[in-house]
């Protein structure tokens, strides 16, 4: 039987007040001037707000992580299927030129109104989006994939360009049609390639927070929460976008869906790496995967979200719903 255990929120050291037994003599101390160290919880100005994706290595690294996690895994077949998608994404990314980003005036206008710079309009203006999708479908080796996957690929190939673009916009806006979920996986893969290319060309100095759980580049939902080890953001918390792959800073021990920090807890499974947990919120009853990438640098938000599916099954039994979104593993 799986051993499901709860961990207390990992309060940064600077937020812990010594108990009387731990405090040095004399015991009477004035704590009025003590303040939490913002650098420890990822809210200092020295911690970059965003880290833009590097499309040249993003998908190849993800494919390698999926292949590494697959042998002997209960979801081995699916992990290998997504690894093939990531491999094809890497090939397509290198084949097409990087998409243009909206001009400065348009970005400034959207920023003024609290909107991310990338939108459905920039998506529709990408001349290579449909060609990238068709090239990805042609690149994929689905010889060992389920028949449903091959059928979805054939359906997309047979669809009109307008229909494929309309489906891409629906995926971008988070309105995935239930009857076309299998097709949405391939469309999502193409979108990730194109949007990562666009996001990589944005100016980080112009990006601003949009809302809790919303990517400041494209408005996408996060796939996971990640504790990173980058300089100068060591042990800061970032959310990873399910669409464009951007990482953006988020205060630790605060729900990514509702912003509350009182009902946050962390859970893990013995059968899953200790570096992969779920963060739950009893205020809104949502959860998101929580990856300790600072301890295990190879962790990938998309790959390890799928590989830790046992956590989803267990936490759902307690009535929590996903706050994150993995477009290559729609559950």
């Amino acid at each position: 039987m799986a051993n499901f255990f709860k961990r207390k929120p990992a309060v940064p050291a600077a937020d812990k007040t010594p108990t009387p037994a731990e405090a040095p003599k004399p015991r009477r101390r004035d704590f009025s001037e003590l303040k939490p160290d913002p650098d420890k919880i990822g809210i200092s100005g020295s911690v970059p707000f965003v880290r833009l994706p590097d499309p040249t290595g993003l998908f190849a690294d993800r494919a390698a992580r999926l292949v590494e996690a697959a042998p002997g895994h209960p979801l081995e077949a699916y992990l290998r299927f997504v690894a093939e998608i990531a491999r094809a994404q890497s090939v397509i990314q290198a084949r097409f030129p990087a998409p243009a980003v909206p001009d400065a005036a348009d970005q400034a206008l959207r920023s003024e109104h609290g909107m991310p710079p990338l939108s459905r309009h920039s998506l529709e203006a990408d001349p290579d989006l449909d060609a990238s999708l068709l090239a990805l479908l042609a690149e994929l080796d689905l010889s060992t994939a389920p028949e449903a996957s091959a059928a979805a690929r054939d359906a997309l190939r047979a669809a009109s360009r307008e229909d494929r673009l309309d489906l891409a916009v629906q995926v971008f806006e988070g309105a995935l049609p239930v009857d076309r979920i299998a097709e949405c996986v391939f469309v999502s893969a193409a979108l990730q390639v194109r949007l990562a290319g666009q996001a990589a060309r944005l100016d980080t100095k112009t990006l601003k927070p949009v809302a809790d759980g919303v990517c400041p580049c494209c408005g996408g939902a996060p796939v996971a929460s990640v504790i990173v080890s980058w300089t100068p953001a060591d042990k800061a918390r970032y959310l990873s976008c399910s669409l464009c792959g951007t990482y953006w800073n988020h205060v630790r021990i605060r729900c990514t869906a509702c912003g509350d920090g009182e009902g946050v807890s962390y859970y893990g499974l013995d059968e899953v790496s200790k570096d992969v947990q779920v963060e739950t919120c009893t205020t809104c009853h949502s959860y998101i995967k929580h990856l300790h990438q600072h301890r295990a640098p190879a962790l990938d938000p998309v790959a390890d979200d799928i590989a830790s599916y046992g956590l989803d099954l267990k936490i759902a039994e307690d009535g929590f719903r996903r706050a994150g979104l993995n477009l290559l593993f729609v559950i």
Side-chain angles (χ1 to χ4, degrees):
M1 181 178 294
N3 182 16
F4 199 53
F5 58 88
K6 177 179 180 180
R7 296 184 186 274
K8 294 181 179 180
V11 181
D15 288 347
K16 295 180 180 178
T17 301
T19 63
E22 297 170 335
K25 305 283 186 184
R27 292 190 179 184
R28 295 180 62 84
R29 300 178 65 192
D30 181 8
F31 292 100
S32 61
E33 298 302 318
L34 293 181
K35 302 294 183 182
D37 182 354
D39 288 328
K40 300 298 184 183
I41 56 177
I43 58 174
S44 170
S46 64
V47 174
F49 171 50
V50 297
R51 185 179 191 181
L52 299 177
D54 177 8
T56 60
L58 175 63
F59 304 108
D61 291 346
R62 180 167 296 158
R65 179 61 178 168
L66 287 157
V67 169
E68 178 187 10
H73 194 283
L75 293 177
E76 179 174 351
Y78 196 81
L79 288 168
R80 294 193 184 281
F81 167 65
V82 181
E84 173 60 15
I85 291 178
R87 183 200 65 79
Q89 287 177 300
S90 179
V91 171
I92 300 310
Q93 181 278 324
R95 186 177 301 174
F96 289 88
V101 297
D103 60 41
D106 183 61
Q107 290 189 50
L109 181 62
R110 292 184 61 80
S111 177
E112 182 182 343
H113 289 84
M115 297 184 290
L118 304 182
S119 66
R120 63 172 293 173
H121 302 295
S122 55
L123 190 71
E124 293 168 336
D126 181 0
D128 292 318
L129 173 58
D130 190 58
S132 295
L133 172 56
L134 291 175
L136 184 140
L137 296 175
E139 176 66 27
L140 285 169
D141 177 4
L142 299 183
S143 57
T144 60
E147 290 185 9
S149 298
R153 178 179 63 180
D154 294 342
L156 280 172
R157 282 173 164 172
S160 66
R161 179 178 183 276
E162 290 72 21
D163 180 63
R164 288 191 294 268
L165 290 177
D166 180 65
L167 185 57
V169 170
Q170 291 182 66
V171 172
F172 177 79
E173 295 183 337
L176 284 66
V178 177
D179 59 336
R180 302 184 72 179
I181 286 296
E183 294 172 61
C184 287
V185 171
F186 298 126
V187 171
S188 298
L191 280 178
Q192 288 174 342
V193 173
R194 302 308 293 168
L195 288 168
Q198 282 188 307
R201 302 181 64 189
L202 294 173
D203 183 353
T204 58
K205 295 188 293 293
T206 67
L207 297 172
K208 300 178 181 179
V210 177
D212 280 327
V214 178
C215 174
C217 287
C218 71
V223 64
S225 164
V226 184
I227 306 300
V228 305
S229 60
W230 316 319
T231 302
D234 186 34
K235 295 184 179 61
R237 180 196 193 180
Y238 284 76
L239 300 182
S240 173
C241 181
S242 58
L243 274 170
C244 71
T246 293
Y247 280 65
W248 73 98
N249 189 226
H250 187 87
V251 176
R252 293 180 69 169
I253 317 176
R254 197 182 81 185
C255 178
T256 63
C258 71
D260 183 73
E262 296 300 319
V264 172
S265 296
Y266 298 88
Y267 294 83
L269 274 175
D270 286 342
E271 291 77 8
V272 177
S273 168
K274 66 179 181 180
D275 298 319
V276 180
Q277 301 172 314
V278 288
E279 178 187 271
T280 65
C281 175
T282 55
T283 300
C284 66
H285 297 284
S286 69
Y287 77 92
I288 192 169
K289 294 291 176 62
H290 191 65
L291 278 55
H292 291 271
Q293 199 180 67
H294 64 109
R295 296 196 300 244
L299 288 176
D300 175 84
V302 171
D304 286 278
D305 175 57
I306 301 173
S308 59
Y309 183 48
L311 281 168
D312 295 273
L313 294 176
K314 189 62 179 176
I315 204 67
E317 294 177 1
D318 293 334
F320 291 95
R321 58 175 179 79
R322 283 178 66 101
L325 174 66
N326 191 334
L327 290 166
L328 301 186
F329 192 54
V330 183
I331 57 174

